[in-house]
Amino acid sequence: MIQVESLSKSFTLHNQGAAVIPVMRDAELTVKPGECVALTGASGAGKSTLMRMIYGNYLSDSGRIWIGGTDVVTARPHDILALRREVMGYVSQFLRVVPRVSTLDVVAEPLTTLGQEVEAAQARARELLTRLNIPERLWTLSPTTFSGGEQQRVNIARGFAHDYPVLLLDEPTASLDATNRDVVMSLIEEAKMRGVAILGIFHDEDARTRLCDREIDVTRFTPVAG
Amino acid sequence: MIPLLSVNGIEKRYGARIGCKDVNFDLYEGEVMGIVGESGSGKSTLLNCLAGHLAPDHGEVLFATRHDGMRNTLTMSEPERRMLARTDWAFVHQNPRDGLRMGVSAGGNVGERLMSIGARHYGQIRQTAGEWLDRVEIAEDRMDDRPSSFSGGMQQRLQIARNLVTAPRLIFMDEPTGGLDVSVQARLLDLLRGLVRQMGLSAIIVTHDLAVVRLLADRLMVMKGGHVVESGLTDQVLDDPQHAYTQLLVSSVLQV
């Protein structure tokens, strides 16, 4: 479902003496449906960079990223938007929200964007917010003022609202208490059972042991200096 | 899939000076495209060329009309273009005074656009106008007041209601939040975003504010000196800018 082939990237900092910083060379990985694969490696090794390249948030210099039948590296913006709507979900550590939009609508939005009825989308949002222990009195408020852990859970609820065949998870269990970490892991397990291909960064070793079928150390994709 | 708008090789010169040059893009239904760049970069010139306010020297602007397939809006007759501007297109000016009739009541400003496409039943026009004032969060008891008695933010919301009442398919916006207080901006942006999503509108938004495009636009074009120097998905252009100018632009934003 996710197939990365000889993927390379460097950043060119035009305003800092046109410094070229190679960050990834010949990255290869495959994630099959129903599989959960963890990216590992020290901070700065390029785990998030690789995730962002797969999501189309960062450009790639060369190589291929196959999501189903679409190559993210060469796809037009229009096709990547469709891919993100229907196929590929991404849960990052940080929630980026519009001021004044209620939590319920933030979570339901991926479904309404796909054309689902507002009622059904909100019912799904309620279900997820309940599971993730977000008190009902907060649902009508914008998550902008929520605590870090609450925002993260809203973010997770949003990421799981639509049943994406591909999920990218950037530290989904960070800054959560034990109860909620367990809820999130159950959500991920259920997604695996449905046949979702999951690629994730998990700093929490328990989460890796419980969820992941394989680990890929991205250090081996790090270009050697000089 | 057929694009709603297809822009090919647009060029506009002011004498020897380049207004904009070699602009090409396709816009699909429901997509919002942002155009950013500093003042003088050609973004407003481009918007005015696309919307038919300025005649470009080269290029074509193809629009998927409801009944007649793809038509070049630059070569269609003036009455046809005016009809398009009243029905399927809308234009939100930076200064609401340019887009509103200041001497006509708020309800009249909204109703007028309905009448221009043939609505005649006074009661219905008034009712629709009332509904739209409500959608843009203007109290219904202000319906008979003139926009000159409104605040800047209210005037801008009224301009949006006037433009959207005929359910256009493409809306051009020139710095829609320029000149408004930050808190008023947030309200307007949220409102615009909701309307665009609910109505499945396509939009082209010119702004110099990167936060505005991050919030509203799916795709982004960066202009400098009349040229498009970079384009792509909004988050990609802002998070992994490739061109020196875009990198400068992104790194110059003050963090709050």
Side-chain angles (χ1 to χ4, degrees), chain A residues 9 11-15 52 56-59 76-78 80-81 84 96 98-101 109 113, chain B residues 1 28 31 137 186-187 190 193 197 214-215 218-219 232-233 235-236 239-240 242-244 247-248:
Chain A
K9 175 168 185 65
F11 289 109
T12 307
L13 308 177
H14 291 287
N15 301 305
R52 284 165 170 247
N57 178 232
Y58 282 1
L59 290 180
R76 297 172 308 160
H78 177 63
I80 295 182
L81 287 170
R84 289 179 178 181
R96 203 187 278 279
V98 189
R100 299 208 319 154
V101 177
E109 194 183 65
T113 308
Chain B
M1 202 176 151
Y28 292 86
E31 266 182 10
E137 302 170 12
R187 183 175 183 187
D190 167 36
R193 189 172 175 275
R197 301 255 165 150
R214 168 87 78 179
L215 216 56
D218 305 302
R219 291 164 55 195
L233 286 176
D235 60 292
Q236 181 264 304
D239 293 340
D240 186 17
Q242 305 294 308
H243 192 276
Q247 290 185 356
L248 183 68

Side-chain angles (χ1 to χ4, degrees), chain A residues 127-199:
Chain A
E127 185 192 318
L128 281 162
L129 289 169
T130 308
R131 262 190 91 174
L132 287 157
N133 301 305
I134 303 283
E136 192 169 343
R137 61 189 158 79
L138 299 181
W139 294 358
T140 53
L141 308 176
S142 158
T144 27
T145 55
F146 289 8
S147 74
E150 284 165 344
Q151 289 198 3
Q152 172 138 18
R153 279 178 279 148
V154 171
N155 215 10
I156 290 165
R158 183 180 158 94
F160 279 86
H162 170 55
D163 190 5
Y164 298 102
V166 172
L167 270 179
L168 307 174
L169 307 173
D170 192 344
E171 296 202 45
T173 53
S175 72
L176 294 184
D177 57 47
T179 317
N180 285 309
R181 195 179 307 142
D182 192 62
V183 174
V184 174
M185 287 200 264
S186 304
L187 281 170
I188 298 171
E189 281 171 333
E190 289 162 27
K192 276 181 73 177
M193 299 282 280
R194 288 195 305 267
V196 178
I198 301 169
L199 184 66

Side-chain angles (χ1 to χ4, degrees), chain B:
Chain B
M1 202 176 151
I2 302 165
L4 182 70
L5 189 77
S6 185
V7 176
N8 304 310
I10 288 294
E11 175 175 339
K12 173 74 186 171
R13 284 175 177 275
Y14 300 104
R17 231 161 23 83
I18 293 171
C20 60
K21 194 171 189 295
D22 293 332
V23 180
N24 301 286
F25 68 91
D26 286 342
L27 186 74
Y28 292 86
E29 211 158 89
E31 266 182 10
V32 178
M33 161 89 87
I35 304 176
V36 297
E38 59 203 0
S39 42
S41 61
K43 54 192 197 304
S44 292
T45 296
L46 175 62
L47 192 75
N48 283 308
C49 284
L50 300 178
H53 298 168
L54 269 177
D57 300 315
H58 293 287
E60 52 179 19
V61 178
L62 302 174
F63 179 73
T65 57
R66 282 182 213 234
H67 306 296
D68 216 6
M70 287 303 252
R71 293 283 311 278
N72 186 350
T73 62
L74 301 176
T75 54
M76 64 171 50
S77 69
E78 191 56 36
E80 275 183 300
R81 192 158 49 227
R82 272 198 209 142
M83 192 61 196
L84 205 57
R86 279 202 300 268
T87 54
D88 274 353
W89 286 10
F91 196 103
V92 174
H93 295 265
Q94 173 174 6
N95 187 341
R97 288 167 181 274
D98 296 333
L100 291 172
R101 293 257 308 265
M102 297 309 280
V104 174
S105 71
N109 262 289
V110 179
E112 191 179 52
R113 190 149 149 128
L114 280 172
M115 286 169 71
S116 77
I117 59 162
R120 287 294 174 266
H121 189 286
Y122 178 78
Q124 267 169 15
I125 293 172
R126 194 173 164 85
Q127 193 192 336
T128 310
E131 285 162 12
W132 266 96
L133 291 183
D134 185 52
R135 283 180 85 164
V136 298
E137 302 170 12
I138 294 174
E140 224 176 316
D141 62 8
R142 301 299 302 271
M143 187 159 173
D144 297 315
D145 295 346
R146 291 186 181 177
S148 45
S149 69
F150 287 4
S151 68
M154 275 172 83
Q155 287 180 2
Q156 196 56 297
R157 296 202 300 278
L158 179 62
Q159 192 191 181
I160 287 163
R162 174 180 162 99
N163 270 285
L164 294 187
V165 68
T166 54
R169 291 154 73 210
L170 175 60
I171 176 162
F172 301 96
M173 294 190 241
D174 190 4
E175 302 272 9
T177 57
L180 297 176
D181 285 339
V182 181
S183 60
V184 180
Q185 267 190 30
R187 183 175 183 187
L188 189 75
L189 283 174
D190 167 36
L191 185 80
L192 271 174
R193 189 172 175 275
L195 290 171
V196 165
R197 301 255 165 150
Q198 284 161 26
M199 299 174 73
L201 282 174
S202 305
I204 299 178
I205 301 175
V206 160
T207 177
H208 62 269
D209 190 336
L210 297 182
V212 168
V213 290
R214 168 87 78 179
L215 216 56
L216 286 178
D218 305 302
R219 291 164 55 195
L220 188 59
M221 286 200 319
V222 182
M223 293 192 73
K224 185 180 194 315
H227 294 266
V228 176
V229 295
E230 184 165 357
S231 65
L233 286 176
T234 301
D235 60 292
Q236 181 264 304
V237 174
L238 296 180
D239 293 340
D240 186 17
Q242 305 294 308
H243 192 276
Y245 176 67
T246 319
Q247 290 185 356
L248 183 68
L249 209 62
V250 170
S251 64
S252 304
V253 176
L254 300 176
Q255 300 282 330
V256 183

